[in-house]
Amino acid sequence: MNGAGVIDGKGDTPAKGDSNTSNDDLGIVIDGKFSDWDNITKTDEANGNKMAMVADGDYVYVYVMMSQYYVAQNGFKFTAGGQTFWITPQNGGNGSTSVTPVTFKVSGGPWDTSTQYPNVGNGYMVQGTVDGKTQGLMEFKFKLSDLGLSSSASQTITLHNDGIGPTTITAAGGSTGPVLLAGVGVLLAGFGYWKARKMGLLKPQTARTSGK
């Protein structure tokens, strides 16, 4: 973070609609420190804004960087399990300039700015003026089960905000751990078969025919 309280975007990786999967191994923590997002794939909008999302079996984690305007306070359209919700950072700085991270609560509901689910998560934002431009950063998370969604079933989720850019980003709603473990198991099984065959432990079997 520079002296004006705005991260300079170091480590941002341009991408269009790329998927990030589990937070299990990514170490994203919602604490007002944004460096843990450095290696996460982000969208690269025409206006210079960026957004990213990762998920685990319980929470969805969102990152926003606004290059010219105040951090988006609403308009986050979220879909999962065939349902659509609008996620709203509540009083995330209220558009005020702050070089110190400001914490806020996150609400959700069936329409924009809805507070049907008043406290589904939390987040931090920081913004300030650099070279005459107002820039800002935001990170927040929200809990799937607090929106009435399954927190254990793996499902594809999407997030879009017109105020940030045209890109819709996707992530897997469940942990990728079991899938990776299954893949490793197949790999080890294949290696064991190859080694046993090389050692001559596996011999061709003669086909049997039933006698009369």
Side-chain angles (χ1 to χ4, degrees), residues 56-78:
D56 58 27
D58 295 310
Y59 286 90
V60 176
Y61 304 78
V62 179
Y63 166 96
V64 176
M65 191 280 282
M66 305 291 282
S67 66
Q68 301 176 13
Y69 308 100
Y70 286 112
V71 175
Q73 299 295 300
N74 51 39
F76 292 92
K77 186 178 182 180
F78 169 74

Side-chain angles (χ1 to χ4, degrees), residues 113-187:
T113 72
S114 172
T115 58
Q116 178 178 342
Y117 305 97
N119 187 11
V120 298
N122 68 288
Y124 288 86
M125 61 81 63
V126 59
Q127 55 193 11
T129 301
V130 179
D131 297 329
K133 295 181 179 180
T134 300
Q135 303 181 39
L137 282 171
M138 174 187 286
E139 65 173 358
F140 62 88
K141 69 178 180 180
F142 56 93
K143 195 171 185 178
L144 293 171
S145 61
D146 285 348
L147 293 170
L149 296 169
S150 170
S151 61
S152 59
S154 180
Q155 55 193 334
T156 298
I157 62 179
T158 69
L159 189 68
H160 173 76
N161 190 314
D162 284 331
I164 298 172
T167 308
T168 295
I169 53 178
T170 63
S175 171
T176 58
V179 177
L180 292 174
L181 289 175
V184 170
V186 171
L187 180 62

Side-chain angles (χ1 to χ4, degrees), residues 15-59:
K16 284 288 185 181
D18 280 353
S19 296
N20 292 308
T21 52
S22 174
N23 183 43
D24 294 355
D25 301 318
L26 298 175
I28 298 298
V29 179
I30 305 302
D31 57 4
K33 301 175 183 178
F34 300 89
S35 60
D36 48 357
W37 290 95
D38 282 356
N39 295 319
I40 304 300
T41 301
K42 303 172 183 67
T43 66
D44 190 7
E45 310 299 341
N47 52 18
N49 298 336
K50 298 180 185 295
M51 186 164 64
M53 175 175 64
V54 298
D56 58 27
D58 295 310
Y59 286 90

Side-chain angles (χ1 to χ4, degrees), residues 66-125:
M66 305 291 282
S67 66
Q68 301 176 13
Y69 308 100
Y70 286 112
V71 175
Q73 299 295 300
N74 51 39
F76 292 92
K77 186 178 182 180
F78 169 74
T79 66
Q83 300 184 61
T84 298
F85 298 89
W86 293 87
I87 305 301
T88 303
Q90 292 293 319
N91 299 317
N94 283 326
S96 63
T97 299
S98 174
V99 297
T100 301
V102 176
T103 187
F104 56 85
K105 298 297 183 181
V106 177
S107 66
W111 60 86
D112 197 5
T113 72
S114 172
T115 58
Q116 178 178 342
Y117 305 97
N119 187 11
V120 298
N122 68 288
Y124 288 86
M125 61 81 63

